[in-house]
mmCIF file of all heavy atoms in Angstrom:
data_model
loop_
_atom_site.group_PDB
_atom_site.id
_atom_site.type_symbol
_atom_site.label_atom_id
_atom_site.label_comp_id
_atom_site.label_asym_id
_atom_site.label_seq_id
_atom_site.Cartn_x
_atom_site.Cartn_y
_atom_site.Cartn_z
ATOM 1 N N LEU A 613 0.820 -1.213 0.000
ATOM 2 C CA LEU A 613 0.000 0.000 0.000
ATOM 3 C C LEU A 613 0.854 1.263 0.000
ATOM 4 O O LEU A 613 0.340 2.360 0.140
ATOM 5 C CB LEU A 613 -0.919 -0.006 1.230
ATOM 6 C CG LEU A 613 -2.016 -1.066 1.227
ATOM 7 C CD1 LEU A 613 -2.681 -1.152 2.595
ATOM 8 C CD2 LEU A 613 -3.052 -0.748 0.154
ATOM 9 N N GLU A 614 2.174 1.070 -0.149
ATOM 10 C CA GLU A 614 3.146 2.168 -0.240
ATOM 11 C C GLU A 614 3.184 3.014 1.025
ATOM 12 O O GLU A 614 3.351 4.236 0.964
ATOM 13 C CB GLU A 614 2.874 3.028 -1.477
ATOM 14 C CG GLU A 614 2.990 2.228 -2.771
ATOM 15 C CD GLU A 614 2.891 3.086 -4.012
ATOM 16 O OE1 GLU A 614 2.450 4.246 -3.915
ATOM 17 O OE2 GLU A 614 3.259 2.589 -5.086
ATOM 18 N N ALA A 615 3.026 2.361 2.169
ATOM 19 C CA ALA A 615 3.228 3.061 3.439
ATOM 20 C C ALA A 615 4.697 3.443 3.561
ATOM 21 O O ALA A 615 5.581 2.718 3.106
ATOM 22 C CB ALA A 615 2.816 2.165 4.605
ATOM 23 N N LEU A 616 4.947 4.578 4.181
ATOM 24 C CA LEU A 616 6.323 5.056 4.302
ATOM 25 C C LEU A 616 7.115 4.244 5.317
ATOM 26 O O LEU A 616 8.301 3.978 5.129
ATOM 27 C CB LEU A 616 6.324 6.528 4.712
ATOM 28 C CG LEU A 616 7.694 7.174 4.901
ATOM 29 C CD1 LEU A 616 8.431 7.260 3.563
ATOM 30 C CD2 LEU A 616 7.554 8.544 5.522
ATOM 31 N N ASP A 617 6.464 3.830 6.404
ATOM 32 C CA ASP A 617 7.176 3.088 7.443
ATOM 33 C C ASP A 617 6.182 2.240 8.218
ATOM 34 O O ASP A 617 4.955 2.388 8.089
ATOM 35 C CB ASP A 617 7.907 4.052 8.385
ATOM 36 C CG ASP A 617 9.184 3.451 8.960
ATOM 37 O OD1 ASP A 617 9.274 2.208 9.028
ATOM 38 O OD2 ASP A 617 10.084 4.220 9.338
ATOM 39 N N TYR A 618 6.725 1.340 9.042
ATOM 40 C CA TYR A 618 5.918 0.372 9.779
ATOM 41 C C TYR A 618 6.529 0.266 11.168
ATOM 42 O O TYR A 618 7.588 -0.340 11.348
ATOM 43 C CB TYR A 618 5.970 -0.963 9.038
ATOM 44 C CG TYR A 618 4.997 -2.017 9.509
ATOM 45 C CD1 TYR A 618 3.750 -2.154 8.904
ATOM 46 C CD2 TYR A 618 5.323 -2.890 10.530
ATOM 47 C CE1 TYR A 618 2.865 -3.137 9.301
ATOM 48 C CE2 TYR A 618 4.457 -3.870 10.942
ATOM 49 C CZ TYR A 618 3.223 -3.995 10.324
ATOM 50 O OH TYR A 618 2.347 -4.980 10.727
ATOM 51 N N LEU A 619 5.903 0.877 12.163
ATOM 52 C CA LEU A 619 6.449 0.930 13.509
ATOM 53 C C LEU A 619 5.762 -0.102 14.400
ATOM 54 O O LEU A 619 4.535 -0.159 14.463
ATOM 55 C CB LEU A 619 6.267 2.327 14.101
ATOM 56 C CG LEU A 619 6.806 3.504 13.277
ATOM 57 C CD1 LEU A 619 6.644 4.803 14.046
ATOM 58 C CD2 LEU A 619 8.254 3.273 12.891
ATOM 59 N N ILE A 620 6.583 -0.904 15.088
ATOM 60 C CA ILE A 620 6.063 -1.935 15.968
ATOM 61 C C ILE A 620 5.997 -1.415 17.403
ATOM 62 O O ILE A 620 6.979 -0.898 17.936
ATOM 63 C CB ILE A 620 6.959 -3.196 15.920
ATOM 64 C CG1 ILE A 620 7.050 -3.743 14.481
ATOM 65 C CG2 ILE A 620 6.420 -4.268 16.863
ATOM 66 C CD1 ILE A 620 5.759 -4.297 13.943
ATOM 67 N N LYS A 621 4.836 -1.535 18.028
ATOM 68 C CA LYS A 621 4.657 -1.124 19.415
ATOM 69 C C LYS A 621 5.351 -2.118 20.352
ATOM 70 O O LYS A 621 5.381 -3.316 20.054
ATOM 71 C CB LYS A 621 3.168 -1.068 19.771
ATOM 72 C CG LYS A 621 2.352 -0.078 18.955
ATOM 73 C CD LYS A 621 0.876 -0.218 19.304
ATOM 74 C CE LYS A 621 -0.002 0.688 18.458
ATOM 75 N NZ LYS A 621 -1.441 0.490 18.750
ATOM 76 N N PRO A 622 5.869 -1.653 21.481
ATOM 77 C CA PRO A 622 5.987 -0.252 21.911
ATOM 78 C C PRO A 622 7.012 0.491 21.067
ATOM 79 O O PRO A 622 8.076 -0.046 20.764
ATOM 80 C CB PRO A 622 6.443 -0.366 23.361
ATOM 81 C CG PRO A 622 7.160 -1.678 23.424
ATOM 82 C CD PRO A 622 6.467 -2.575 22.464
ATOM 83 N N ILE A 623 6.686 1.703 20.667
ATOM 84 C CA ILE A 623 7.513 2.466 19.734
ATOM 85 C C ILE A 623 8.461 3.374 20.507
ATOM 86 O O ILE A 623 8.013 4.320 21.169
ATOM 87 C CB ILE A 623 6.625 3.309 18.790
ATOM 88 C CG1 ILE A 623 5.659 2.399 18.025
ATOM 89 C CG2 ILE A 623 7.489 4.117 17.823
ATOM 90 C CD1 ILE A 623 4.548 3.140 17.313
ATOM 91 N N PRO A 624 9.773 3.137 20.439
ATOM 92 C CA PRO A 624 10.721 4.042 21.098
ATOM 93 C C PRO A 624 10.723 5.404 20.399
ATOM 94 O O PRO A 624 10.463 5.494 19.190
ATOM 95 C CB PRO A 624 12.074 3.335 20.927
ATOM 96 C CG PRO A 624 11.761 1.947 20.487
ATOM 97 C CD PRO A 624 10.443 2.021 19.781
ATOM 98 N N PHE A 625 11.000 6.447 21.152
ATOM 99 C CA PHE A 625 11.030 7.790 20.557
ATOM 100 C C PHE A 625 12.079 7.885 19.451
ATOM 101 O O PHE A 625 11.852 8.550 18.432
ATOM 102 C CB PHE A 625 11.313 8.831 21.644
ATOM 103 C CG PHE A 625 11.249 10.251 21.153
ATOM 104 C CD1 PHE A 625 10.123 10.741 20.516
ATOM 105 C CD2 PHE A 625 12.336 11.106 21.313
ATOM 106 C CE1 PHE A 625 10.059 12.054 20.060
ATOM 107 C CE2 PHE A 625 12.282 12.421 20.857
ATOM 108 C CZ PHE A 625 11.145 12.890 20.232
ATOM 109 N N GLU A 626 13.227 7.211 19.637
ATOM 110 C CA GLU A 626 14.281 7.238 18.618
ATOM 111 C C GLU A 626 13.786 6.646 17.292
ATOM 112 O O GLU A 626 14.128 7.133 16.218
ATOM 113 C CB GLU A 626 15.517 6.476 19.097
ATOM 114 C CG GLU A 626 16.275 7.150 20.227
ATOM 115 C CD GLU A 626 15.606 6.970 21.579
ATOM 116 O OE1 GLU A 626 14.653 6.150 21.683
ATOM 117 O OE2 GLU A 626 16.031 7.652 22.538
ATOM 118 N N ARG A 627 12.954 5.592 17.395
ATOM 119 C CA ARG A 627 12.410 4.977 16.170
ATOM 120 C C ARG A 627 11.382 5.898 15.522
ATOM 121 O O ARG A 627 11.285 5.980 14.295
ATOM 122 C CB ARG A 627 11.785 3.623 16.520
ATOM 123 C CG ARG A 627 11.246 2.868 15.313
ATOM 124 C CD ARG A 627 12.358 2.449 14.374
ATOM 125 N NE ARG A 627 11.842 1.742 13.213
ATOM 126 C CZ ARG A 627 11.477 2.325 12.077
ATOM 127 N NH1 ARG A 627 11.608 3.650 11.938
ATOM 128 N NH2 ARG A 627 11.008 1.619 11.068
ATOM 129 N N PHE A 628 10.604 6.584 16.338
ATOM 130 C CA PHE A 628 9.640 7.567 15.838
ATOM 131 C C PHE A 628 10.368 8.674 15.074
ATOM 132 O O PHE A 628 9.950 9.072 13.980
ATOM 133 C CB PHE A 628 8.849 8.141 17.014
ATOM 134 C CG PHE A 628 7.903 9.245 16.649
ATOM 135 C CD1 PHE A 628 6.648 8.967 16.146
ATOM 136 C CD2 PHE A 628 8.263 10.572 16.834
ATOM 137 C CE1 PHE A 628 5.767 9.989 15.810
ATOM 138 C CE2 PHE A 628 7.391 11.602 16.512
ATOM 139 C CZ PHE A 628 6.142 11.301 15.998
ATOM 140 N N ILE A 629 11.475 9.165 15.648
ATOM 141 C CA ILE A 629 12.265 10.207 14.992
ATOM 142 C C ILE A 629 12.771 9.735 13.638
ATOM 143 O O ILE A 629 12.727 10.472 12.642
ATOM 144 C CB ILE A 629 13.451 10.625 15.886
ATOM 145 C CG1 ILE A 629 12.958 11.421 17.092
ATOM 146 C CG2 ILE A 629 14.468 11.458 15.099
ATOM 147 C CD1 ILE A 629 14.039 11.763 18.084
ATOM 148 N N LYS A 630 13.238 8.494 13.569
ATOM 149 C CA LYS A 630 13.756 7.947 12.317
ATOM 150 C C LYS A 630 12.676 7.950 11.238
ATOM 151 O O LYS A 630 12.927 8.303 10.083
ATOM 152 C CB LYS A 630 14.263 6.525 12.556
ATOM 153 C CG LYS A 630 15.083 5.941 11.415
ATOM 154 C CD LYS A 630 15.533 4.531 11.767
ATOM 155 C CE LYS A 630 16.458 3.963 10.713
ATOM 156 N NZ LYS A 630 17.818 4.517 10.800
ATOM 157 N N ALA A 631 11.452 7.566 11.616
ATOM 158 C CA ALA A 631 10.346 7.546 10.659
ATOM 159 C C ALA A 631 9.984 8.956 10.197
ATOM 160 O O ALA A 631 9.741 9.192 9.006
ATOM 161 C CB ALA A 631 9.126 6.872 11.298
ATOM 162 N N VAL A 632 9.971 9.904 11.129
ATOM 163 C CA VAL A 632 9.636 11.293 10.778
ATOM 164 C C VAL A 632 10.721 11.887 9.874
ATOM 165 O O VAL A 632 10.418 12.594 8.904
ATOM 166 C CB VAL A 632 9.447 12.140 12.049
ATOM 167 C CG1 VAL A 632 9.318 13.616 11.706
ATOM 168 C CG2 VAL A 632 8.215 11.675 12.815
ATOM 169 N N ASN A 633 11.980 11.606 10.171
ATOM 170 C CA ASN A 633 13.065 12.091 9.308
ATOM 171 C C ASN A 633 12.956 11.517 7.905
ATOM 172 O O ASN A 633 13.298 12.183 6.923
ATOM 173 C CB ASN A 633 14.424 11.729 9.905
ATOM 174 C CG ASN A 633 14.898 12.748 10.924
ATOM 175 O OD1 ASN A 633 14.435 13.891 10.927
ATOM 176 N ND2 ASN A 633 15.815 12.355 11.782
ATOM 177 N N ARG A 634 12.475 10.291 7.809
ATOM 178 C CA ARG A 634 12.270 9.689 6.484
ATOM 179 C C ARG A 634 11.207 10.463 5.704
ATOM 180 O O ARG A 634 11.332 10.663 4.497
ATOM 181 C CB ARG A 634 11.857 8.222 6.652
ATOM 182 C CG ARG A 634 11.679 7.482 5.342
ATOM 183 C CD ARG A 634 11.386 6.022 5.588
ATOM 184 N NE ARG A 634 12.539 5.361 6.177
ATOM 185 C CZ ARG A 634 12.484 4.172 6.771
ATOM 186 N NH1 ARG A 634 11.335 3.542 6.873
ATOM 187 N NH2 ARG A 634 13.570 3.635 7.250
ATOM 188 N N TYR A 635 10.176 10.909 6.422
ATOM 189 C CA TYR A 635 9.145 11.735 5.785
ATOM 190 C C TYR A 635 9.743 13.056 5.298
ATOM 191 O O TYR A 635 9.471 13.498 4.175
ATOM 192 C CB TYR A 635 7.997 11.997 6.756
ATOM 193 C CG TYR A 635 6.989 12.984 6.226
ATOM 194 C CD1 TYR A 635 5.979 12.573 5.367
ATOM 195 C CD2 TYR A 635 7.057 14.336 6.562
ATOM 196 C CE1 TYR A 635 5.061 13.477 4.854
ATOM 197 C CE2 TYR A 635 6.143 15.247 6.068
ATOM 198 C CZ TYR A 635 5.143 14.815 5.213
ATOM 199 O OH TYR A 635 4.245 15.715 4.697
ATOM 200 N N PHE A 636 10.564 13.691 6.133
ATOM 201 C CA PHE A 636 11.176 14.960 5.745
ATOM 202 C C PHE A 636 12.038 14.793 4.493
ATOM 203 O O PHE A 636 12.037 15.643 3.598
ATOM 204 C CB PHE A 636 12.038 15.503 6.888
ATOM 205 C CG PHE A 636 11.254 15.921 8.098
ATOM 206 C CD1 PHE A 636 11.835 15.909 9.364
ATOM 207 C CD2 PHE A 636 9.933 16.352 7.997
ATOM 208 C CE1 PHE A 636 11.120 16.292 10.485
ATOM 209 C CE2 PHE A 636 9.209 16.739 9.111
ATOM 210 C CZ PHE A 636 9.800 16.706 10.360
ATOM 211 N N LYS A 637 12.787 13.702 4.440
ATOM 212 C CA LYS A 637 13.628 13.443 3.260
ATOM 213 C C LYS A 637 12.771 13.218 2.025
ATOM 214 O O LYS A 637 13.077 13.712 0.936
ATOM 215 C CB LYS A 637 14.519 12.228 3.508
ATOM 216 C CG LYS A 637 15.622 12.455 4.520
ATOM 217 C CD LYS A 637 16.448 11.196 4.705
ATOM 218 C CE LYS A 637 17.516 11.385 5.770
ATOM 219 N NZ LYS A 637 18.291 10.135 5.989
ATOM 220 N N LEU A 638 11.699 12.456 2.199
ATOM 221 C CA LEU A 638 10.809 12.158 1.074
ATOM 222 C C LEU A 638 10.211 13.434 0.496
ATOM 223 O O LEU A 638 10.120 13.598 -0.720
ATOM 224 C CB LEU A 638 9.698 11.216 1.549
ATOM 225 C CG LEU A 638 8.639 10.837 0.515
ATOM 226 C CD1 LEU A 638 9.233 9.974 -0.585
ATOM 227 C CD2 LEU A 638 7.473 10.107 1.189
ATOM 228 N N LYS A 639 9.824 14.346 1.366
ATOM 229 C CA LYS A 639 9.167 15.589 0.938
ATOM 230 C C LYS A 639 10.169 16.729 0.711
ATOM 231 O O LYS A 639 9.766 17.854 0.426
ATOM 232 C CB LYS A 639 8.137 16.017 1.982
ATOM 233 C CG LYS A 639 7.031 14.997 2.187
ATOM 234 C CD LYS A 639 6.238 14.760 0.903
ATOM 235 C CE LYS A 639 5.113 13.763 1.134
ATOM 236 N NZ LYS A 639 4.310 13.536 -0.110
ATOM 237 N N LYS A 640 11.461 16.418 0.855
ATOM 238 C CA LYS A 640 12.526 17.404 0.640
ATOM 239 C C LYS A 640 12.399 18.613 1.556
ATOM 240 O O LYS A 640 12.684 19.745 1.162
ATOM 241 C CB LYS A 640 12.568 17.843 -0.830
ATOM 242 C CG LYS A 640 12.951 16.726 -1.781
ATOM 243 C CD LYS A 640 13.132 17.240 -3.196
ATOM 244 C CE LYS A 640 13.630 16.125 -4.108
ATOM 245 N NZ LYS A 640 13.836 16.584 -5.496
ATOM 246 N N HIS A 641 11.968 18.358 2.790
ATOM 247 C CA HIS A 641 11.951 19.421 3.788
ATOM 248 C C HIS A 641 13.373 19.677 4.275
ATOM 249 O O HIS A 641 14.214 18.779 4.277
ATOM 250 C CB HIS A 641 11.077 19.025 4.979
ATOM 251 C CG HIS A 641 9.608 19.085 4.699
ATOM 252 N ND1 HIS A 641 8.981 20.215 4.241
ATOM 253 C CD2 HIS A 641 8.639 18.146 4.817
ATOM 254 C CE1 HIS A 641 7.691 19.979 4.098
ATOM 255 N NE2 HIS A 641 7.456 18.731 4.428
ATOM 256 N N ASP A 642 13.620 20.879 4.710
ATOM 257 C CA ASP A 642 14.923 21.215 5.282
ATOM 258 C C ASP A 642 15.043 20.713 6.715
ATOM 259 O O ASP A 642 16.123 20.714 7.288
ATOM 260 C CB ASP A 642 15.155 22.732 5.258
ATOM 261 C CG ASP A 642 15.286 23.263 3.843
ATOM 262 O OD1 ASP A 642 15.743 22.490 2.975
ATOM 263 O OD2 ASP A 642 14.923 24.421 3.610
ATOM 264 N N TYR A 643 13.920 20.310 7.306
ATOM 265 C CA TYR A 643 13.947 19.853 8.685
ATOM 266 C C TYR A 643 14.776 18.570 8.799
ATOM 267 O O TYR A 643 14.807 17.746 7.903
ATOM 268 C CB TYR A 643 12.541 19.533 9.206
ATOM 269 C CG TYR A 643 11.453 20.503 8.802
ATOM 270 C CD1 TYR A 643 10.200 20.046 8.444
ATOM 271 C CD2 TYR A 643 11.676 21.873 8.794
ATOM 272 C CE1 TYR A 643 9.185 20.922 8.080
ATOM 273 C CE2 TYR A 643 10.669 22.759 8.440
ATOM 274 C CZ TYR A 643 9.426 22.271 8.078
ATOM 275 O OH TYR A 643 8.435 23.134 7.716
ATOM 276 N N GLN A 644 15.391 18.395 9.931
ATOM 277 C CA GLN A 644 16.081 17.142 10.240
ATOM 278 C C GLN A 644 16.270 17.076 11.746
ATOM 279 O O GLN A 644 16.812 17.994 12.354
ATOM 280 C CB GLN A 644 17.434 17.051 9.535
ATOM 281 C CG GLN A 644 17.986 15.651 9.457
ATOM 282 C CD GLN A 644 17.142 14.721 8.593
ATOM 283 O OE1 GLN A 644 17.141 13.528 8.797
ATOM 284 N NE2 GLN A 644 16.412 15.256 7.646
ATOM 285 N N ILE A 645 15.792 15.999 12.353
ATOM 286 C CA ILE A 645 15.899 15.832 13.796
ATOM 287 C C ILE A 645 17.140 14.998 14.087
ATOM 288 O O ILE A 645 17.322 13.935 13.492
ATOM 289 C CB ILE A 645 14.658 15.117 14.364
ATOM 290 C CG1 ILE A 645 13.386 15.802 13.858
ATOM 291 C CG2 ILE A 645 14.680 15.120 15.882
ATOM 292 C CD1 ILE A 645 12.150 14.980 14.018
ATOM 293 N N PRO A 646 18.028 15.444 14.968
ATOM 294 C CA PRO A 646 19.238 14.669 15.270
ATOM 295 C C PRO A 646 18.897 13.271 15.766
ATOM 296 O O PRO A 646 17.994 13.086 16.575
ATOM 297 C CB PRO A 646 19.916 15.497 16.376
ATOM 298 C CG PRO A 646 19.362 16.869 16.219
ATOM 299 C CD PRO A 646 17.957 16.695 15.722
ATOM 300 N N GLU A 647 19.601 12.289 15.228
ATOM 301 C CA GLU A 647 19.432 10.904 15.640
ATOM 302 C C GLU A 647 20.742 10.405 16.219
ATOM 303 O O GLU A 647 21.810 10.902 15.880
ATOM 304 C CB GLU A 647 19.060 10.009 14.452
ATOM 305 C CG GLU A 647 17.766 10.391 13.775
ATOM 306 C CD GLU A 647 17.497 9.541 12.548
ATOM 307 O OE1 GLU A 647 17.943 8.371 12.529
ATOM 308 O OE2 GLU A 647 16.866 10.036 11.610
ATOM 309 N N LYS A 648 20.646 9.406 17.065
ATOM 310 C CA LYS A 648 21.859 8.762 17.569
ATOM 311 C C LYS A 648 22.462 7.941 16.447
ATOM 312 O O LYS A 648 21.809 7.090 15.864
ATOM 313 C CB LYS A 648 21.527 7.853 18.760
ATOM 314 C CG LYS A 648 21.093 8.601 20.002
ATOM 315 C CD LYS A 648 20.818 7.630 21.138
ATOM 316 C CE LYS A 648 20.387 8.374 22.393
ATOM 317 N NZ LYS A 648 20.078 7.452 23.502
ATOM 318 N N LYS A 649 23.714 8.207 16.136
ATOM 319 C CA LYS A 649 24.391 7.494 15.060
ATOM 320 C C LYS A 649 25.240 6.364 15.620
ATOM 321 O O LYS A 649 25.965 6.538 16.590
ATOM 322 C CB LYS A 649 25.286 8.446 14.258
ATOM 323 C CG LYS A 649 24.524 9.543 13.549
ATOM 324 C CD LYS A 649 23.634 8.980 12.466
ATOM 325 C CE LYS A 649 22.922 10.086 11.702
ATOM 326 N NZ LYS A 649 22.034 9.590 10.673
#
């Protein structure tokens, strides 16, 4: 169904950030939330 991501509960905040950053990249937003590398 072309979902952008699939998060399994319980969802850690770090995983939530990763999914949101993927959305920003997809839409070419300048936003970017720091992630633990």
